[in-house]
């Protein structure tokens, strides 16, 4: 990244802080990449896609990866040149997915969504279908973005321990995903617009996974999925119903503190333990 004369004059700690604030909080390559040159190249006029040899097609023109099963079924969101993704286009794409593979392909084919460009990987979800519990967090962090798997960092390790304490395991009887499948740069909070685009996908994800219980993990997930305004302090441990036209019946939902919060505020673990017991009781 090129620096201005003012930035060059900054003390190293202040410069580092500035990088983190801008979302550049991890090194992903030993060599420097000139992103300005890359975006200028992308903006330059190119021959019409159908006439251009494959080697000079831009990323926007290249066909997005779509699974064979979904190739016929998926309506495509307009290519990125056609503007930003809309809630309506997201709902059409998500609604057409008939399986988890198709839903993943639908997300991969969504264009005009900036988080896709800044993220390293799509973090779709993992676990078993028709699980006892589907845990839904906010968005991937740096570890998850790097590995393309949900909840694999420090808070993921705590979530695994919390799950195990009530007999749950992502390999056996649970499923884990997030409201947003792409990491917001620098782990900033997702915006309302980003959540609105991702909402049809997570709703469809729940309908396809068909869990016995939904557990929103943290305030963002709880408010988004349960359409509530109160914060997690008031929502946690209470029993709600998750409703969706694609589900035959309402699914019980019990919001849980986010493990990242519990790592910072150990004093709240007793409440989280109580909420885990509520979840266990519902399973039984
Ligand atoms: N926090 C989340 O909300 N989700 C993850 O996958 C990791 C951390």
């Amino acid at each position: 990244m090129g620096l201005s004369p003012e930035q060059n004059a900054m003390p190293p700690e202040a410069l580092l802080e500035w990088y983190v604030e801008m979302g550049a909080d991890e090194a992903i390559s030993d060599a420097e990449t000139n992103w300005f040159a890359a975006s200028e190249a992308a903006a330059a006029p190119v021959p019409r896609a159908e006439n251009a040899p494959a080697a000079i097609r831009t990323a926007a023109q290249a066909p997005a990866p779509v699974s064979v099963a979904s190739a016929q079924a998926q309506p495509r969101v307009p290519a990125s040149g056609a503007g930003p993704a809309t809630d309506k286009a997201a709902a059409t794409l998500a609604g057409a997915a008939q399986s988890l593979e198709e839903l993943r392909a639908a997300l991969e084919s969504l264009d005009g969504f900036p988080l896709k460009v800044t993220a390293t990987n799509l973090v779709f979800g993992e676990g078993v279908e028709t699980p006892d519990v589907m845990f839904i967090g906010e968005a991937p962090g740096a570890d998850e973005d790097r590995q393309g798997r949900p909840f694999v960092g420090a808070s993921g390790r705590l979530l695994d321990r919390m799950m195990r304490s009530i007999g749950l395991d992502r390999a056996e009887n649970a499923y884990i995903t997030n409201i947003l499948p792409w990491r917001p740069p620098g782990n900033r909070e997702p915006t309302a617009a980003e959540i609105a685009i991702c909402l049809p996908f997570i709703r469809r994800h729940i309908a396809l996974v068909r869990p016995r219980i939904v557990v929103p993990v943290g305030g963002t997930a709880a408010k988004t999925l349960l359409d509530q305004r109160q914060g997690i302090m008031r929502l946690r441990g209470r029993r709600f119903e998750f409703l969706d036209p694609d589900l035959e019946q309402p699914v019980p939902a019990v919001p849980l503190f986010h493990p990242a919060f519990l790592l910072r505020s150990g004093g709240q673990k007793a409440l989280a333990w109580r909420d885990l017991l509520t979840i266990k009781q519902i399973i039984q």
Side-chain angles (χ1 to χ4, degrees), residues 77 85-95 196-197 200:
V77 162
T86 62
D87 312 2
K88 201 165 158 236
T92 307
L93 262 185
I197 298 282

mmCIF file with all atom_site columns, all heavy atoms in Angstrom, residues 77 85-95 196-197 200:
data_model
loop_
_atom_site.group_PDB
_atom_site.id
_atom_site.type_symbol
_atom_site.label_atom_id
_atom_site.label_alt_id
_atom_site.label_comp_id
_atom_site.label_asym_id
_atom_site.label_entity_id
_atom_site.label_seq_id
_atom_site.pdbx_PDB_ins_code
_atom_site.Cartn_x
_atom_site.Cartn_y
_atom_site.Cartn_z
_atom_site.occupancy
_atom_site.B_iso_or_equiv
_atom_site.pdbx_formal_charge
_atom_site.auth_seq_id
_atom_site.auth_comp_id
_atom_site.auth_asym_id
_atom_site.auth_atom_id
_atom_site.pdbx_PDB_model_num
ATOM 1  N N   . VAL A 1 77  ? -27.849 -13.083 -10.534 1.00 0.00 ? 77  VAL A N   1
ATOM 2  C CA  . VAL A 1 77  ? -27.915 -11.673 -10.157 1.00 0.00 ? 77  VAL A CA  1
ATOM 3  C C   . VAL A 1 77  ? -27.134 -10.925 -11.227 1.00 0.00 ? 77  VAL A C   1
ATOM 4  O O   . VAL A 1 77  ? -26.156 -11.454 -11.756 1.00 0.00 ? 77  VAL A O   1
ATOM 5  C CB  . VAL A 1 77  ? -27.279 -11.490 -8.761  1.00 0.00 ? 77  VAL A CB  1
ATOM 6  C CG1 . VAL A 1 77  ? -26.924 -10.051 -8.503  1.00 0.00 ? 77  VAL A CG1 1
ATOM 7  C CG2 . VAL A 1 77  ? -28.215 -11.994 -7.693  1.00 0.00 ? 77  VAL A CG2 1
ATOM 8  N N   . ALA A 1 85  ? -25.624 -5.490  -5.628  1.00 0.00 ? 85  ALA A N   1
ATOM 9  C CA  . ALA A 1 85  ? -26.637 -6.508  -5.362  1.00 0.00 ? 85  ALA A CA  1
ATOM 10 C C   . ALA A 1 85  ? -27.797 -5.865  -4.598  1.00 0.00 ? 85  ALA A C   1
ATOM 11 O O   . ALA A 1 85  ? -27.598 -4.934  -3.820  1.00 0.00 ? 85  ALA A O   1
ATOM 12 C CB  . ALA A 1 85  ? -26.015 -7.622  -4.523  1.00 0.00 ? 85  ALA A CB  1
ATOM 13 N N   . THR A 1 86  ? -29.001 -6.352  -4.834  1.00 0.00 ? 86  THR A N   1
ATOM 14 C CA  . THR A 1 86  ? -30.171 -5.816  -4.130  1.00 0.00 ? 86  THR A CA  1
ATOM 15 C C   . THR A 1 86  ? -30.805 -6.924  -3.286  1.00 0.00 ? 86  THR A C   1
ATOM 16 O O   . THR A 1 86  ? -30.610 -8.107  -3.561  1.00 0.00 ? 86  THR A O   1
ATOM 17 C CB  . THR A 1 86  ? -31.236 -5.319  -5.134  1.00 0.00 ? 86  THR A CB  1
ATOM 18 O OG1 . THR A 1 86  ? -31.664 -6.450  -5.910  1.00 0.00 ? 86  THR A OG1 1
ATOM 19 C CG2 . THR A 1 86  ? -30.688 -4.241  -6.044  1.00 0.00 ? 86  THR A CG2 1
ATOM 20 N N   . ASP A 1 87  ? -31.613 -6.515  -2.295  1.00 0.00 ? 87  ASP A N   1
ATOM 21 C CA  . ASP A 1 87  ? -32.299 -7.490  -1.427  1.00 0.00 ? 87  ASP A CA  1
ATOM 22 C C   . ASP A 1 87  ? -33.180 -8.396  -2.281  1.00 0.00 ? 87  ASP A C   1
ATOM 23 O O   . ASP A 1 87  ? -33.300 -9.582  -2.032  1.00 0.00 ? 87  ASP A O   1
ATOM 24 C CB  . ASP A 1 87  ? -33.225 -6.799  -0.421  1.00 0.00 ? 87  ASP A CB  1
ATOM 25 C CG  . ASP A 1 87  ? -32.575 -5.654  0.302   1.00 0.00 ? 87  ASP A CG  1
ATOM 26 O OD1 . ASP A 1 87  ? -31.405 -5.341  0.007   1.00 0.00 ? 87  ASP A OD1 1
ATOM 27 O OD2 . ASP A 1 87  ? -33.252 -5.055  1.153   1.00 0.00 ? 87  ASP A OD2 1
ATOM 28 N N   . LYS A 1 88  ? -33.803 -7.774  -3.323  1.00 0.00 ? 88  LYS A N   1
ATOM 29 C CA  . LYS A 1 88  ? -34.747 -8.534  -4.144  1.00 0.00 ? 88  LYS A CA  1
ATOM 30 C C   . LYS A 1 88  ? -34.009 -9.616  -4.942  1.00 0.00 ? 88  LYS A C   1
ATOM 31 O O   . LYS A 1 88  ? -34.449 -10.767 -5.003  1.00 0.00 ? 88  LYS A O   1
ATOM 32 C CB  . LYS A 1 88  ? -35.450 -7.561  -5.103  1.00 0.00 ? 88  LYS A CB  1
ATOM 33 C CG  . LYS A 1 88  ? -36.738 -8.074  -5.612  1.00 0.00 ? 88  LYS A CG  1
ATOM 34 C CD  . LYS A 1 88  ? -37.556 -6.944  -6.236  1.00 0.00 ? 88  LYS A CD  1
ATOM 35 C CE  . LYS A 1 88  ? -38.564 -7.575  -7.188  1.00 0.00 ? 88  LYS A CE  1
ATOM 36 N NZ  . LYS A 1 88  ? -38.461 -7.068  -8.525  1.00 0.00 ? 88  LYS A NZ  1
ATOM 37 N N   . ALA A 1 89  ? -32.878 -9.232  -5.523  1.00 0.00 ? 89  ALA A N   1
ATOM 38 C CA  . ALA A 1 89  ? -32.096 -10.208 -6.290  1.00 0.00 ? 89  ALA A CA  1
ATOM 39 C C   . ALA A 1 89  ? -31.592 -11.308 -5.368  1.00 0.00 ? 89  ALA A C   1
ATOM 40 O O   . ALA A 1 89  ? -31.593 -12.497 -5.733  1.00 0.00 ? 89  ALA A O   1
ATOM 41 C CB  . ALA A 1 89  ? -30.926 -9.512  -6.978  1.00 0.00 ? 89  ALA A CB  1
ATOM 42 N N   . ALA A 1 90  ? -31.185 -10.922 -4.141  1.00 0.00 ? 90  ALA A N   1
ATOM 43 C CA  . ALA A 1 90  ? -30.692 -11.919 -3.186  1.00 0.00 ? 90  ALA A CA  1
ATOM 44 C C   . ALA A 1 90  ? -31.821 -12.888 -2.834  1.00 0.00 ? 90  ALA A C   1
ATOM 45 O O   . ALA A 1 90  ? -31.611 -14.101 -2.765  1.00 0.00 ? 90  ALA A O   1
ATOM 46 C CB  . ALA A 1 90  ? -30.164 -11.224 -1.931  1.00 0.00 ? 90  ALA A CB  1
ATOM 47 N N   . ALA A 1 91  ? -33.033 -12.365 -2.656  1.00 0.00 ? 91  ALA A N   1
ATOM 48 C CA  . ALA A 1 91  ? -34.160 -13.228 -2.295  1.00 0.00 ? 91  ALA A CA  1
ATOM 49 C C   . ALA A 1 91  ? -34.485 -14.201 -3.428  1.00 0.00 ? 91  ALA A C   1
ATOM 50 O O   . ALA A 1 91  ? -34.789 -15.369 -3.189  1.00 0.00 ? 91  ALA A O   1
ATOM 51 C CB  . ALA A 1 91  ? -35.374 -12.372 -1.952  1.00 0.00 ? 91  ALA A CB  1
ATOM 52 N N   . THR A 1 92  ? -34.391 -13.730 -4.675  1.00 0.00 ? 92  THR A N   1
ATOM 53 C CA  . THR A 1 92  ? -34.677 -14.606 -5.824  1.00 0.00 ? 92  THR A CA  1
ATOM 54 C C   . THR A 1 92  ? -33.647 -15.731 -5.889  1.00 0.00 ? 92  THR A C   1
ATOM 55 O O   . THR A 1 92  ? -33.992 -16.902 -6.059  1.00 0.00 ? 92  THR A O   1
ATOM 56 C CB  . THR A 1 92  ? -34.618 -13.785 -7.139  1.00 0.00 ? 92  THR A CB  1
ATOM 57 O OG1 . THR A 1 92  ? -35.477 -12.663 -6.984  1.00 0.00 ? 92  THR A OG1 1
ATOM 58 C CG2 . THR A 1 92  ? -35.043 -14.607 -8.338  1.00 0.00 ? 92  THR A CG2 1
ATOM 59 N N   . LEU A 1 93  ? -32.385 -15.351 -5.743  1.00 0.00 ? 93  LEU A N   1
ATOM 60 C CA  . LEU A 1 93  ? -31.302 -16.353 -5.799  1.00 0.00 ? 93  LEU A CA  1
ATOM 61 C C   . LEU A 1 93  ? -31.443 -17.384 -4.683  1.00 0.00 ? 93  LEU A C   1
ATOM 62 O O   . LEU A 1 93  ? -31.375 -18.585 -4.926  1.00 0.00 ? 93  LEU A O   1
ATOM 63 C CB  . LEU A 1 93  ? -29.955 -15.652 -5.598  1.00 0.00 ? 93  LEU A CB  1
ATOM 64 C CG  . LEU A 1 93  ? -29.120 -15.299 -6.812  1.00 0.00 ? 93  LEU A CG  1
ATOM 65 C CD1 . LEU A 1 93  ? -27.795 -14.737 -6.351  1.00 0.00 ? 93  LEU A CD1 1
ATOM 66 C CD2 . LEU A 1 93  ? -28.891 -16.520 -7.686  1.00 0.00 ? 93  LEU A CD2 1
ATOM 67 N N   . ALA A 1 94  ? -31.637 -16.882 -3.464  1.00 0.00 ? 94  ALA A N   1
ATOM 68 C CA  . ALA A 1 94  ? -31.706 -17.786 -2.306  1.00 0.00 ? 94  ALA A CA  1
ATOM 69 C C   . ALA A 1 94  ? -32.923 -18.697 -2.414  1.00 0.00 ? 94  ALA A C   1
ATOM 70 O O   . ALA A 1 94  ? -32.844 -19.900 -2.169  1.00 0.00 ? 94  ALA A O   1
ATOM 71 C CB  . ALA A 1 94  ? -31.757 -16.971 -1.017  1.00 0.00 ? 94  ALA A CB  1
ATOM 72 N N   . GLY A 1 95  ? -34.039 -18.122 -2.824  1.00 0.00 ? 95  GLY A N   1
ATOM 73 C CA  . GLY A 1 95  ? -35.294 -18.883 -2.882  1.00 0.00 ? 95  GLY A CA  1
ATOM 74 C C   . GLY A 1 95  ? -35.247 -20.014 -3.889  1.00 0.00 ? 95  GLY A C   1
ATOM 75 O O   . GLY A 1 95  ? -35.974 -21.003 -3.762  1.00 0.00 ? 95  GLY A O   1
ATOM 76 N N   . ALA A 1 196 ? -29.194 -7.024  5.272   1.00 0.00 ? 196 ALA A N   1
ATOM 77 C CA  . ALA A 1 196 ? -30.422 -7.173  4.464   1.00 0.00 ? 196 ALA A CA  1
ATOM 78 C C   . ALA A 1 196 ? -30.171 -8.036  3.227   1.00 0.00 ? 196 ALA A C   1
ATOM 79 O O   . ALA A 1 196 ? -31.025 -8.839  2.839   1.00 0.00 ? 196 ALA A O   1
ATOM 80 C CB  . ALA A 1 196 ? -30.946 -5.795  4.064   1.00 0.00 ? 196 ALA A CB  1
ATOM 81 N N   . ILE A 1 197 ? -28.994 -7.905  2.621   1.00 0.00 ? 197 ILE A N   1
ATOM 82 C CA  . ILE A 1 197 ? -28.678 -8.730  1.436   1.00 0.00 ? 197 ILE A CA  1
ATOM 83 C C   . ILE A 1 197 ? -28.503 -10.197 1.849   1.00 0.00 ? 197 ILE A C   1
ATOM 84 O O   . ILE A 1 197 ? -28.918 -11.111 1.139   1.00 0.00 ? 197 ILE A O   1
ATOM 85 C CB  . ILE A 1 197 ? -27.373 -8.238  0.750   1.00 0.00 ? 197 ILE A CB  1
ATOM 86 C CG1 . ILE A 1 197 ? -27.506 -6.803  0.242   1.00 0.00 ? 197 ILE A CG1 1
ATOM 87 C CG2 . ILE A 1 197 ? -26.934 -9.189  -0.372  1.00 0.00 ? 197 ILE A CG2 1
ATOM 88 C CD1 . ILE A 1 197 ? -28.268 -6.622  -1.024  1.00 0.00 ? 197 ILE A CD1 1
ATOM 89 N N   . PRO A 1 200 ? -31.980 -13.207 3.186   1.00 0.00 ? 200 PRO A N   1
ATOM 90 C CA  . PRO A 1 200 ? -32.670 -14.297 2.474   1.00 0.00 ? 200 PRO A CA  1
ATOM 91 C C   . PRO A 1 200 ? -31.840 -15.569 2.412   1.00 0.00 ? 200 PRO A C   1
ATOM 92 O O   . PRO A 1 200 ? -32.380 -16.673 2.430   1.00 0.00 ? 200 PRO A O   1
ATOM 93 C CB  . PRO A 1 200 ? -32.878 -13.736 1.061   1.00 0.00 ? 200 PRO A CB  1
ATOM 94 C CG  . PRO A 1 200 ? -32.597 -12.285 1.136   1.00 0.00 ? 200 PRO A CG  1
ATOM 95 C CD  . PRO A 1 200 ? -31.773 -12.015 2.352   1.00 0.00 ? 200 PRO A CD  1
#
